[in-house]
Amino acid sequence: MLASAQDQSVDRTTFRLVGEIGGGYSYKLTPPKIILGNSTRDGITGAFRLKWGSSNLLGVGVETGYIPISTMAMNSLASEFGSVDVSASLSAIPVLAIFTIQRLGIQMHTGIGYYRMTAKATVMGKTMESSEWNMGYMLSFGFTRPLISDLFIGTELKWNNIVEQRISILSLQVRFLYFLYGK
Amino acid sequence: MNQLFFIFLLVLFSLVTLSCSHDTVVNVPVFVGGGKLISAQPIKPQQLQLLNGVYDVIDGSDQFGKKVVVKRTGKTLSIFTGKNAGLFVFQCGRIDSTLIFEGYWRYTQGGETGLAQFEIPAENNGKPLLQGILPTPSFFFQGKIGNGSAEPTINITLQYNSPLKDTTFVILAHRGGGRNSDRLPESENSLGMIQLAESFGANGIEIDVRLTKDGIPILFHDENFSPRLVNGDYCVGPVSNYTFAAIRTLCTLKNKELVPTLKEALEVVVNKTTLTYVWLDIKSPEAIASAAALQQEYQKKAFAAGRKLDIYIGLSNDELVDRYKKENMVSSADALCELSMEDVRAVNAKVWAPRWTLGPLGSNAQAMHSENRKIFVWTLDQREFILPFLTQGNIDGILTNYPALIAFEYYVFQ
C-alpha cells in the first residue's frame, strides 16, 4: 500500500535535490552510569537533511539537527563540599554525511560523521559549558506520502549512535520532504 | 540495483556490529568467607622478606615458566613470573607457626586469573622462617591455584634457587600502577591503584597531573574526559573546563573511584606505601607551580617520617621546560627531563628520561652518571626490548605498564 502510493506519485528515475525537515521524540537508550536527583533522558529532537539522488539509486547528502540527550538536577546533595545544588544537561548536534536508498516503499538512511557534544553544568553556583566533537553514525527507516505537489509528509524511526561517548539515542520523527530541484 | 541494496545492508550491519562496545570487567577472585587468613595472626615484614628470592618452578612451569621471583611488597608477598607477565599477590598470616598465603594470580598480559593458596607448614620451614632463618636450596614453597573463583586444586611447587642480589633498581609503574586497558582491579591514576603498585612489582610510580578550571592539580591522563577513563554523561571535553567540585560530583573513574587530587595521591604514597620514587608527568605548564609546591611539602613529610622518597617534576616538552625556567625552579624543584641531554643540563634535572626507542645509550649514559644524574627509560613493556637495556647495565630504572614483567626480568637477569 505504502509502496504503491509512492510508486504512483514519484518518478523513480529522476535525480532530485530534496530538502527534508523533521522533528519528534527522542530517547537515550544507554542508561546513565551516575544517577543524581531528577533526571531525564528524553526530549524533543529536530533534524534537517539535504540529499541528492533518485529513488532508484543510492542517494547522498548531509544531515544536521539537534538531539537532547539527558538532564539532571538535584538540590542539597550531601557531598564532601557540604550541601550542594547540581544541575546538568547534555545535547548533541550531528553533522553527518548520509546515504539513502529506497526499497519496498521504505526509505533507509545511514549517516556517518561527527556529533558536537555539549554539556552544561552548574555545581555550587558555578556554571560551566564544555563541548567536543565525537564520531558516530545514524541509521533510520521511514516512509513518506504525498501531501501536495512537491511536498511529502512521512515518519521515521532513527537510531543515532555516538560511538566515542557510547551513547545511543532512538527517535521517532514526523518529517516533511520538498523537491528543491528536479521536480 | 540489488547489488547496491546488498552493499547498503552490509554497511548497516557493519556499523551496528562495530558499535557493540563493552566496558572492561575487573574480576579479582576472593576466598569465600575470608579463607584461612580470617583467623590468622600477622607476619612481620622482615620475616616475609626472608622469602625473597629467585625460585625454580617444579610444578606449574607450563603456566608460569621455569623460574619465578618471590618478593615482599609492603605488607603483601608477590610472585612475578616470566610467562604473560604473570603475578601472584598474597595476603599473609600465620596460624601458630604455619605460614598462610592467600590471594590471586593473574596474567597481566591476558587477564586470566584465579585464586591462589600457599602454605609453609610449621614442621617444614615455618618455624625457622619465623625465627629469622633464611631458606636454603632445599626449601620448597608450595600451594595450589584455581581458575576464576574456583577452589584452588592445581599444584604449584617452587624451589628456592638464589637470593635477590640488588633491589635498588627503579621499577616505575605507569599511570600509578597500570592502565585501564589491562583490566586491573583499580582505575589508572587512582588512589587504589597507587596502593597496588608495589604488589605489582614497582618501587616507584608515574602519575599524570593536570589542573581543573579552579586550579586544583588532579590525577588525570587525557586532556579530555572520555568513557575510557570516566563514568558520567556530563563530563565532556577538556578537563580544564570543569571545576574540581564539578568533577567530583559529576563523574567517577572507571572503577567508581573519585578523581584524586595530587595532594591526596602524595598523602597515600607517604602514608600507605613504601614507594621510593614518584614521577609527576605534568600535562600542562600551568600545573608546574602547584605541583612543585606539593613536591616540596611531601618530600619534607616523607623525610620527617623517616622515608626515602624522591618526587620529580616531569618535563616532557619545550613548553614545560620554558615554564620551569620562568618559574625559577631550577634550583628549588627536582626535575626529570625527557628531552635532550642539553635540556637536562639546562634545567639541572636529577633524572634524564629518554624514550626507549632511542636505543642503547652508550657514552651518553656515562656522561649523565658522571654528572650524578639518574637515567630512567620509558615505556618498556616487551621482553625483547627490555633485555638489551638490562644487559647494558647503564640505566637506573624503567617506566612500564607491566612492573611484574620488569621485576621478573631484572631479578632473574641478575
Side-chain angles (χ1 to χ4, degrees):
Chain A
M1 177 72 183
L2 293 173
S4 61
Q6 290 209 342
D7 289 346
Q8 286 164 19
S9 59
V10 179
D11 174 2
R12 295 174 68 106
T13 57
T14 305
F15 279 80
R16 295 182 175 89
L17 180 65
V18 180
E20 190 176 324
I21 190 162
Y25 174 81
S26 71
Y27 182 78
K28 176 173 172 268
L29 296 174
T30 38
K33 290 265 175 65
I34 296 176
I35 301 170
L36 291 173
N38 297 321
S39 64
T40 65
R41 50 174 163 146
D42 57 357
I44 301 301
T45 184
F48 175 75
R49 279 187 192 133
L50 205 57
K51 57 191 184 185
W52 168 256
S54 79
S55 303
N56 221 18
L57 291 170
L58 194 67
V60 295
V62 291
E63 175 175 330
T64 185
Y66 174 78
I67 306 169
I69 298 174
S70 58
T71 66
M72 60 86 94
M74 187 172 185
N75 292 328
S76 306
L77 170 70
S79 76
E80 62 186 304
F81 309 101
S83 177
V84 300
D85 295 341
V86 183
S87 63
S89 66
L90 181 65
S91 61
I93 295 173
V95 180
L96 306 173
I98 58 166
F99 305 92
T100 178
I101 197 165
Q102 180 167 311
R103 294 287 285 177
L104 305 172
I106 303 292
Q107 292 167 350
M108 287 175 284
H109 291 83
T110 181
I112 190 160
Y114 282 85
Y115 291 77
R116 183 67 176 169
M117 307 285 297
T118 299
K120 291 177 185 171
T122 302
V123 179
M124 294 176 71
K126 289 184 180 165
T127 299
M128 55 216 90
E129 181 173 325
S130 188
S131 299
E132 70 173 352
W133 290 100
N134 288 134
M135 211 175 87
Y137 60 84
M138 173 278 296
L139 303 173
S140 78
F141 296 88
F143 67 88
T144 55
R145 301 184 65 135
L147 200 60
I148 51 173
S149 62
D150 292 327
L151 183 66
F152 293 73
I153 187 169
T155 189
E156 184 175 53
L157 186 66
K158 187 188 286 186
W159 178 47
N160 286 280
N161 192 28
I162 305 166
V163 180
E164 288 179 78
Q165 289 292 332
R166 299 179 194 168
I167 289 174
S168 287
I169 301 119
L170 195 65
S171 61
L172 186 63
Q173 298 188 26
V174 173
R175 60 197 185 119
F176 295 92
L177 278 75
Y178 187 73
F179 291 167
L180 297 168
Y181 174 81
K183 302 180 180 186
Chain B
M1 178 62 187
N2 282 338
Q3 274 185 335
L4 201 60
F5 183 63
F6 176 74
I7 292 167
F8 189 83
L9 285 180
L10 194 67
V11 170
L12 295 191
F13 178 76
S14 304
L15 288 175
V16 173
T17 307
L18 288 171
S19 74
C20 295
S21 63
H22 302 282
D23 279 345
T24 51
V25 176
V26 178
N27 186 13
V28 176
V30 292
F31 284 91
V32 178
K36 291 182 179 177
L37 281 178
I38 202 153
S39 55
Q41 302 294 313
I43 305 175
K44 291 177 186 166
Q46 54 270 38
Q47 291 169 325
L48 270 185
Q49 189 132 349
L50 296 173
L51 288 169
N52 283 6
V54 177
Y55 289 65
D56 296 319
V57 181
I58 308 301
D59 297 318
S61 58
D62 286 350
Q63 278 180 285
F64 300 110
K66 291 179 179 172
K67 286 187 188 299
V68 296
V69 170
V70 176
K71 190 170 185 292
R72 177 183 76 87
T73 49
K75 290 175 185 171
T76 59
L77 189 81
S78 295
I79 300 177
F80 309 118
T81 82
K83 201 163 178 180
N84 295 320
L87 83 158
F88 292 66
V89 179
F90 289 119
Q91 302 298 318
C92 316
R94 66 182 177 87
I95 299 174
D96 297 325
S97 295
T98 294
L99 309 188
I100 311 288
F101 304 86
E102 286 181 340
Y104 64 91
W105 68 273
R106 68 171 288 160
Y107 292 150
T108 51
Q109 291 175 336
E112 292 99 323
T113 186
L115 290 169
Q117 189 172 49
F118 279 42
E119 272 189 29
I120 303 175
E123 66 277 11
N124 178 20
N125 287 306
K127 273 185 184 167
L129 275 171
L130 289 173
Q131 290 162 3
I133 297 169
L134 279 167
T136 64
S138 63
F139 173 73
F140 289 93
F141 189 29
Q142 292 173 302
K144 292 180 190 298
I145 63 163
N147 289 311
S149 298
E151 194 70 17
T153 55
I154 305 161
N155 287 324
I156 303 291
T157 304
L158 312 177
Q159 184 174 12
Y160 186 84
N161 179 306
S162 55
L164 305 183
K165 289 173 185 162
D166 173 19
T167 57
T168 58
F169 188 74
V170 183
I171 301 172
L172 292 146
H174 200 203
R175 302 187 191 178
R179 300 170 300 183
N180 285 359
S181 56
D182 287 314
R183 295 181 290 169
L184 296 168
E186 304 281 349
S187 302
E188 65 183 56
N189 280 312
S190 68
L191 300 180
M193 182 63 90
I194 291 169
Q195 292 175 76
L196 281 181
E198 287 180 280
S199 62
F200 292 168
N203 53 8
I205 53 168
E206 178 258 20
I207 48 180
D208 303 293
V209 181
R210 60 176 68 251
L211 286 188
T212 63
K213 189 178 183 180
D214 46 350
I216 308 289
I218 59 167
L219 268 51
F220 204 83
H221 182 269
D222 293 359
E223 184 177 353
N224 285 14
F225 288 112
S226 72
R228 188 186 79 76
L229 292 177
V230 296
N231 307 310
D233 287 350
Y234 304 105
C235 286
V236 167
V239 173
S240 57
N241 284 348
Y242 289 81
T243 63
F244 178 61
I247 291 170
R248 293 276 267 230
T249 308
L250 297 172
C251 64
T252 64
L253 297 175
K254 282 311 284 181
N255 289 324
K256 300 188 173 70
E257 310 95 328
L258 293 173
V259 176
T261 63
L262 175 58
K263 188 177 176 69
E264 288 170 332
L266 293 177
E267 193 73 35
V268 163
V269 168
V270 171
N271 294 320
K272 295 187 175 175
T273 75
T274 58
L275 292 164
T276 47
Y277 294 91
V278 178
W279 171 346
L280 305 179
D281 191 355
I282 307 295
K283 294 297 187 186
S284 66
E286 297 73 31
I288 283 188
S290 47
L294 288 166
Q295 174 198 36
Q296 305 281 319
E297 179 184 341
Y298 279 89
Q299 291 211 142
K300 281 179 190 162
K301 281 190 176 181
F303 182 76
R307 286 275 314 277
K308 172 188 161 30
L309 179 64
D310 291 331
I311 304 171
Y312 300 114
I313 301 288
L315 305 173
S316 57
N317 58 50
D318 292 334
E319 210 181 347
L320 288 170
V321 166
D322 290 344
R323 178 61 74 100
Y324 185 80
K325 289 179 188 168
K326 195 176 163 190
E327 301 270 355
N328 290 322
M329 291 178 181
V330 174
S331 58
S332 60
D334 292 345
L336 171 153
C337 183
E338 298 178 29
L339 307 179
S340 68
M341 288 167 57
E342 289 68 36
D343 289 313
V344 169
R345 290 179 179 119
V347 295
N348 194 26
K350 292 275 194 294
V351 180
W352 180 37
R355 184 195 294 258
W356 71 271
T357 50
L358 293 178
L361 302 174
S363 58
N364 289 341
Q366 276 181 316
M368 287 286 102
H369 282 148
S370 70
E371 295 166 21
N372 206 24
R373 305 185 207 277
K374 288 188 188 320
I375 301 169
F376 299 161
V377 176
W378 59 277
T379 301
L380 276 161
D381 290 338
Q382 288 176 278
R383 186 171 191 271
E384 62 265 37
F385 302 124
I386 294 165
L387 287 179
F389 283 94
L390 294 180
T391 309
Q392 285 174 41
N394 58 5
I395 59 171
D396 303 284
I398 290 174
L399 173 65
T400 180
N401 290 301
Y402 304 111
L405 180 65
I406 303 288
F408 172 82
E409 297 296 349
Y410 178 74
Y411 294 121
V412 169
F413 175 77
Q414 281 185 321

